[in-house]
Amino acid sequence: MIGKDIQLAARYLKADKLVAIPTETVYGLAGNALHEEAVSKIYTVKNRPVFNPLILHLGSREAAESYVRKIPELAQTLAKHFWPGPLTLILEKANHVPDIVTAGSSFVGLRVPNHPLTLELLKNLEFPLAAPSANPSGYISPTSPKHVQDQLGAQIAYILDGGPCQIGVESTIVKVVGEEFLILRKGGIPIEEIESLIGPVKLHTHNTENPDAPGMLKSHYAPSVPFVVGNLNQLVIEYQTKSIGIIAFRNPLAGIPEERQIVLSKTGNLEEAARNLYKGMRYLDTLNVEIILAELLPEFGLGRAINDRLMRAAA
Ligand code: TXA
Ligand code: MG
């Protein structure tokens, strides 16, 4: 069921049921983070590997303090500046945060999402919400209630309708280890903005055998058809025998039907491009094309998060 009833959403969550929640980045699949029963449902519904931890969503910066050992000063600076907003901080967890949320790690991810409905919902709850993106594991994140409904609707109690997501790519993840700040995922807050506040950070977004952000395995955010990133003019020649879908930054390609092309932002605006990215990928995935071709965006600001997702979709 889809609706805007915060009280109903709260009742379901208090009964350990799952509710999809709107955030500024993508929709989340939420459950009571302090109840193992609710959290284990999240893993089941998403078909998510149990080694991949979940982010805690909180209603305020003050609420964050009870779920971590401490918030170092520069992390406080980031929280003060960016919460509510698309920043996830990974800090040493407090003992009472269940292991199932952190997949056994002694670190926990926290964020205060910037969406009025979800902030209001969190105020009505006495517990934080564990919430990964509300998509089947490995697929494209949802940026509208309908995206959630299409894939997970039958398995969750309620979808809280907060409209289309305003940012459209996931939060930037920053892990704090001692004095070091590691970027585990490029996202809705550009790295440049983080560095302008706290100085240089380390990029740590690559996949390894034992990844620090297990959700950042190389192949991710992927549509169900083959996906190739490169120079569009060259790629359309290379794949001319196939039916092609296109993701272009500013301009559609001549010679390909417009209804099979997604232009992310005609004016070259990276924020607009981020908002259109996942919707566009999902749309092309419904067309039954044989291959999707995409070009990279300028590598700064939100362009870095968009490029990261395009590369992962292609991996
Ligand atoms: O914007 C977002 O962050 C969205 C909305 C719903 O808040 N959530 C989201 O969650 O993208 P998810 O689960 O799809 O991605 C979270 C990422 C995963 O790659 C996970 O491995 C990593 O965060 N993560 C979560 N907790 C972690 C921890 N304790 N240590 C390391 N990585 C962690
Ligand atoms: Mg996800």
Side-chain angles (χ1 to χ4, degrees):
M1 200 182 8
I2 302 185
K4 295 179 193 295
D5 189 339
I6 291 174
Q7 296 308 326
L8 183 60
R11 276 208 295 284
Y12 283 130
L13 289 163
K14 286 174 190 170
D16 285 343
K17 300 205 158 115
L18 303 187
V19 171
I21 54 166
T23 83
E24 77 284 31
T25 58
V26 301
Y27 273 73
L29 178 61
N32 181 344
L34 305 181
H35 280 185
E36 282 198 19
E37 196 188 318
V39 178
S40 73
K41 280 182 195 160
I42 296 174
Y43 284 92
T44 307
V45 166
K46 270 190 71 100
N47 195 17
R48 182 178 179 103
V50 290
F51 58 77
N52 193 359
L54 308 177
I55 296 171
L56 293 196
H57 292 68
L58 306 149
S60 69
R61 181 160 47 88
E62 294 70 32
E65 282 161 24
S66 29
Y67 301 99
V68 294
R69 281 182 188 275
K70 63 171 195 302
I71 309 184
E73 205 178 312
L74 288 180
Q76 285 281 8
T77 305
L78 292 177
K80 278 189 190 140
H81 202 268
F82 294 117
W83 283 351
L87 172 77
T88 294
L89 284 175
I90 303 214
L91 298 162
E92 278 189 80
K93 82 178 188 81
N95 284 335
H96 67 102
V97 176
D99 283 337
I100 185 170
V101 171
T102 65
S105 166
S106 59
F107 285 80
V108 64
L110 306 173
R111 99 177 183 94
V112 181
N114 190 14
H115 191 291
L117 281 188
T118 294
L119 286 173
E120 187 62 31
L121 172 65
L122 285 162
K123 284 204 190 91
N124 281 271
L125 300 172
E126 273 157 11
F127 48 84
L129 292 173
S133 52
N135 51 279
S137 188
Y139 194 68
I140 305 159
S141 295
T143 53
S144 76
K146 185 172 182 303
H147 293 164
V148 182
Q149 176 72 30
D150 287 347
Q151 290 184 302
L152 303 180
Q155 295 172 80
I156 57 188
Y158 195 60
I159 298 170
L160 188 59
D161 181 355
C165 298
Q166 291 304 302
I167 291 188
V169 292
E170 299 83 351
S171 59
T172 301
I173 302 182
V174 181
K175 183 172 183 177
V176 187
V177 187
E179 305 283 287
E180 280 200 322
F181 286 74
L182 309 174
I183 305 284
L184 300 193
R185 178 172 73 186
K186 298 173 189 171
I189 294 184
I191 295 174
E192 297 92 320
E193 282 188 35
I194 292 173
E195 292 192 320
S196 75
L197 274 178
I198 63 165
V201 295
K202 264 198 186 164
L203 259 188
H204 203 71
T205 59
H206 292 294
N207 73 312
T208 60
E209 289 294 301
N210 180 19
D212 237 339
M216 299 312 287
L217 293 168
K218 210 167 165 208
S219 166
H220 215 279
Y221 308 100
S224 51
V225 288
F227 196 97
V228 177
V229 173
N231 178 304
L232 287 177
N233 290 307
Q234 285 169 9
L235 289 174
V236 290
I237 294 168
E238 192 175 329
Y239 291 100
Q240 56 186 316
T241 61
K242 292 189 185 293
S243 69
I244 291 173
I246 300 269
I247 296 181
F249 179 31
R250 303 186 61 156
N251 302 305
L253 249 72
I256 307 275
E258 297 241 345
E259 64 274 12
R260 287 203 258 127
Q261 302 199 53
I262 294 297
V263 173
L264 293 176
S265 171
K266 286 200 168 100
T267 59
N269 178 302
L270 294 171
E271 283 75 29
E272 182 182 27
R275 274 196 298 279
N276 287 329
L277 178 68
Y278 289 155
K279 185 175 61 178
M281 285 169 74
R282 281 175 180 259
Y283 166 74
L284 292 177
D285 209 10
T286 64
L287 295 184
N288 295 318
V289 292
E290 288 170 290
I291 191 161
I292 298 173
L293 308 177
E295 65 182 345
L296 293 177
L297 276 59
E299 184 67 16
F300 57 81
L302 284 187
R304 296 175 75 171
I306 296 169
N307 289 343
D308 173 88
R309 303 308 187 269
L310 291 172
M311 303 290 281
R312 285 178 206 278

